[in-house]
Amino acid sequence: MSQTGLVFHEHFLLHDPGPMIAGSPPRPYPYLEPEDHVEHPRRVGRVKELLDQSGLTERLRALEFEPASLDDVALFHTREYIQQVLTVSARDGYGDAGQGARLSRGSFEIALLAVGGACAAVDAVLDGEVANSYALIRPPGHHAMPTQGMGFCLFGNVAIAVKRAIAHGRIERAMVLDWDVHHGNGTQEAFYDDDRVLMVSLHQDGLYPENSGLVGDTGGESGAGRTVNVPLPAGTGDAGYMAALERVVWPIARQFQPELIVVSNGLDASRADPLGRMMITAGGYRRMTRATMAVAAELCGGKLAVIHEGGYSQSYAPLCGLAIIEELAGVDSGLADDLGAQARADRMRPAYEVGLDAEQALAEVVAAQSAFWQLEPA
Ligand SMILES: [Zn+2]
């Protein structure tokens, strides 16, 4: 079966984090009108709309899925935390499941559906039902911690899906590749002491969470070398990301030999994101996807599940999403290039050149990871 599976449900568009409120603790706005939350339903709804309008949806296999069971969610989260999300979600008004993980009535059920979607995307690939898969879900998951939500994330979609696949004996070794612009701290926490999961995070240095995703954080005792943090300087674009993949990520993946690759796909490293300061183009995301597919083909029979995380530009993130899903499905409509002014973006330096500060950052990663893996010195 060579099709690409798609996970999507209209209910993902019903999770409402409320208006964006500044300050910690949040303050009411005496001077400014509250604005839409950046983790707005439209950021995912517009990706789906573009898939539909471009004709891609009908070429994908719609995967069936259900809300995750509480036992599955408890593979990563404490029962107390799960109950807390349920309690807040059952009340009227807006609440917070931790640090900046706002929710409202019904968010609990939608978050369970998102976890179930991630699990279905992984299962369909492991079952051989599809060649690869994309889970277009929200709320996102990679910041969620065992005992609290963080950064718009309620439950760790990717962490749970991978833990579940291992718990069910489907696989013994998986690689998570998180290229969201923010550090995948929750997923890192899930596998920090686990030698069965290689957790790679490419993220903007010093962005979010604070003091998280440092080069020297390489895994706990039993997971030594299984955490690979690649903090890249603001302004890094297609060339810097490809260099990180080619010089660091692929050589480590080849030595680790995963049976499955799961991408935590943040589109907030795009050149237009309001929360990130990176410069990946839609074409860059396409090339990163192509390279990941090639490595998956080489190492694990092509088994690749891509799970939606952040991405807050309502105009540009959908084009990046389209480019990625087209690549998974072996289609190139040219639409993402056209609408994204790809030719103009390609003329920007970060698209074709690795900056000196990115070179320095990669050298630091190579130095830190050389304790565990054979890497070419920078
Ligand atoms: Zn993010």
Side-chain angles (χ1 to χ4, degrees):
M1 170 49 65
S2 61
Q3 242 179 329
T4 292
L6 178 70
V7 162
F8 179 75
H9 197 292
E10 295 288 335
H11 285 181
F12 294 140
L13 307 183
L14 299 178
H15 164 58
D16 175 11
M20 200 79 183
I21 296 177
S24 179
R27 289 186 297 266
Y29 271 78
Y31 310 118
L32 286 172
E33 196 183 329
E35 56 183 324
D36 283 347
H37 199 291
V38 289
E39 208 288 276
H40 193 278
R42 276 197 298 269
R43 74 178 190 89
V44 161
R46 284 170 61 89
V47 177
K48 180 59 167 46
E49 196 181 321
L50 189 56
L51 297 181
D52 294 348
Q53 296 292 336
S54 69
L56 185 56
T57 304
E58 58 202 48
R59 301 179 66 163
L60 306 173
R61 155 107 51 124
L63 298 177
E64 291 182 12
F65 61 103
E66 294 179 348
S69 71
L70 299 188
D71 285 344
D72 282 348
V73 177
L75 289 169
F76 177 47
H77 297 284
T78 61
R79 300 275 177 182
E80 293 74 18
Y81 172 63
I82 297 169
Q83 180 60 44
Q84 182 199 339
V85 179
L86 172 59
T87 302
V88 176
S89 166
R91 290 200 294 250
D92 283 335
Y94 298 106
D96 199 313
Q99 297 178 23
R102 287 158 53 78
L103 68 157
S104 55
R105 188 176 278 284
S107 290
F108 178 75
E109 288 75 14
I110 301 169
L112 290 183
L113 194 61
V115 175
C119 293
V122 164
D123 284 353
V125 166
L126 292 179
D127 289 342
E129 182 190 341
V130 290
N132 51 43
S133 61
Y134 194 96
L136 182 56
I137 60 178
R138 71 183 278 279
H142 73 151
H143 295 308
M145 297 292 273
T147 58
Q148 67 166 3
M150 276 181 73
F152 318 154
C153 300
L154 296 179
F155 296 138
N157 304 318
V158 166
I160 296 164
V162 171
K163 277 184 177 283
R164 181 173 164 277
I166 292 174
H168 288 187
R170 304 293 309 274
I171 47 168
E172 288 175 1
R173 304 157 71 76
M175 167 173 155
V176 175
L177 174 53
D178 185 327
W179 60 45
D180 187 284
V181 77
H182 305 102
H183 176 232
N185 61 294
T187 317
Q188 171 176 300
E189 174 73 16
F191 302 113
Y192 203 65
D193 290 312
D194 193 335
D195 68 348
R196 300 167 300 180
V197 177
L198 178 68
M199 167 57 185
V200 180
S201 180
L202 312 183
H203 47 268
Q204 184 181 321
D205 191 8
L207 187 57
Y208 179 87
E210 205 175 342
N211 295 319
S212 188
L214 309 180
V215 174
D217 295 345
T218 53
E221 221 161 87
S222 48
R226 299 297 196 258
T227 292
V228 179
N229 280 315
V230 186
L232 294 164
T236 300
D238 300 356
Y241 273 86
M242 287 303 296
L245 294 176
E246 285 163 7
R247 296 186 209 168
V248 176
V249 183
W250 305 150
I252 292 176
R254 289 190 177 102
Q255 291 164 66
F256 177 73
Q257 292 281 326
E259 296 164 87
L260 167 73
I261 298 177
V262 179
V263 171
S264 250
N265 178 35
L267 303 176
D268 45 10
S270 88
R271 67 189 184 89
D273 200 86
L275 298 192
R277 291 295 173 270
M278 296 309 221
M279 290 291 288
I280 303 182
T281 68
Y285 273 114
R286 181 187 287 279
R287 287 192 287 280
M288 287 159 63
T289 304
R290 185 181 306 156
T292 307
M293 291 169 72
V295 168
E298 175 191 331
L299 299 180
C300 51
K303 293 190 176 63
L304 171 64
V306 182
I307 315 295
H308 206 78
E309 297 279 3
Y312 304 98
S313 166
Q314 289 187 19
S315 53
Y316 197 64
L319 299 173
C320 298
L322 176 69
I324 289 168
I325 301 169
E326 280 192 351
E327 193 63 32
L328 290 173
V331 176
D332 187 353
S333 66
L335 199 59
D337 293 0
D338 265 13
L339 298 174
Q342 188 68 35
R344 200 165 64 223
D346 283 345
R347 290 198 295 274
M348 294 181 187
R349 194 170 284 273
Y352 60 84
E353 195 170 285
V354 185
L356 289 177
D357 48 358
E359 289 285 358
Q360 175 65 31
L362 290 175
E364 287 173 23
V365 176
V366 168
Q369 292 293 333
S370 289
F372 313 102
W373 310 99
Q374 287 203 320
L375 296 169
E376 293 285 330

